[in-house]
Amino acid sequence: MFEFITEFMQKTGYLGVFALMALENIFPPIPSELIMPFAGFVAARGDLNVIGVLLAGTAGSVAGALPWYYAGRVYGKERLEAFADKHARWMTVTHGDIEHAMAAFEKHGKKVVLLGRLIPAIRTLISVPAGLANMSMVQFLLFSTIGSLIWTGILTGAGYALESQYERVAQYVDPVSKAVLIGLLGWYLYRVVTFKAGNRA
């Protein structure tokens, strides 16, 4: 897994980093906690520029947040929750998740968009209440970009700093990354199998 992801980023470059981060925010195929450290590692080897990696990762993260922002802004709370109810078995966002995100937004205001981008559990969801509340595009992009830049910067820096420990990193990160991906797939399949109609939690 370690070699596969690093080689993929080496071949696809900044576009690959951008695409993976955008997809991670829409429907997480690989979490950002793996994407950006690997990208930082590739940059440390000299295959990519670390600033380019940071910008590509941030841009991808913000781009991936936009569909959820527009979903909230265009469809509105009731229609979006109805859509979540209808497709709850297959979606990673449920009716209850939307309600929780709205509660956080109403409690903490617009600053939660910036802070939410730093928290893995709500990085994607926080875009929904921003759209529902008709937060201006300029403000949404500003706060999302700042939060995403901080988050991707931390992860990229971690991968960049560990380049000198290549053998040790590969030894530990490879099984961990495989475990994370298997865990995510297992959680999703369990969720699909055990889903009960009418469950909004």
Side-chain angles (χ1 to χ4, degrees):
M1 181 60 65
F2 184 89
E3 291 292 342
F4 171 78
I5 297 179
T6 53
E7 287 181 8
F8 173 80
M9 290 184 176
Q10 182 180 352
K11 292 178 180 178
T12 59
Y14 307 112
L15 181 60
V17 176
F18 174 90
L20 286 176
M21 286 298 289
L23 287 173
E24 187 266 342
N25 279 267
I26 299 172
F27 181 82
I30 302 175
S32 60
E33 292 84 350
L34 291 180
I35 298 171
M36 294 314 300
F38 282 148
F41 182 85
V42 172
R45 293 196 310 190
D47 297 314
L48 296 173
N49 179 275
V50 68
I51 300 299
V53 164
L54 182 58
L55 293 177
T58 300
S61 181
V62 173
L66 286 173
W68 290 112
Y69 168 82
Y70 276 114
R73 187 157 187 165
V74 172
Y75 287 99
K77 186 173 184 291
E78 292 184 0
R79 291 176 62 189
L80 193 59
E81 287 181 340
F83 180 84
D85 287 339
K86 183 177 180 180
H87 302 283
R89 180 184 292 273
W90 311 105
M91 289 179 63
T92 57
V93 177
T94 66
H95 184 121
D97 292 331
I98 295 173
E99 290 183 340
H100 293 154
M102 278 300 299
F105 189 87
E106 291 171 358
K107 181 178 180 180
H108 300 289
K110 297 174 181 178
K111 64 182 180 181
V112 78
V113 174
L114 189 156
L115 298 176
R117 301 300 293 169
L118 304 174
I119 304 173
I122 65 171
R123 292 183 66 245
T124 295
L125 289 177
I126 203 59
S127 303
V128 174
L132 290 173
N134 289 319
M135 183 179 186
S136 74
M137 174 61 74
V138 173
Q139 288 182 322
F140 177 75
L141 289 177
L142 176 62
F143 290 134
S144 293
T145 299
I146 294 174
S148 297
L149 182 62
I150 295 172
W151 179 243
T152 55
I154 292 172
L155 296 177
T156 301
Y160 192 90
L162 290 173
E163 190 274 338
S164 62
Q165 303 295 325
Y166 175 81
E167 296 297 336
R168 185 175 300 176
V169 170
Q171 178 181 356
Y172 290 103
V173 172
D174 193 58
V176 170
S177 61
K178 289 179 180 178
V180 169
L181 291 177
I182 292 173
L184 287 173
L185 179 60
W187 168 83
Y188 181 74
L189 292 176
Y190 173 80
R191 183 177 177 277
V192 170
V193 172
T194 59
F195 174 80
K196 295 181 180 180
N199 180 18
R200 294 186 174 187

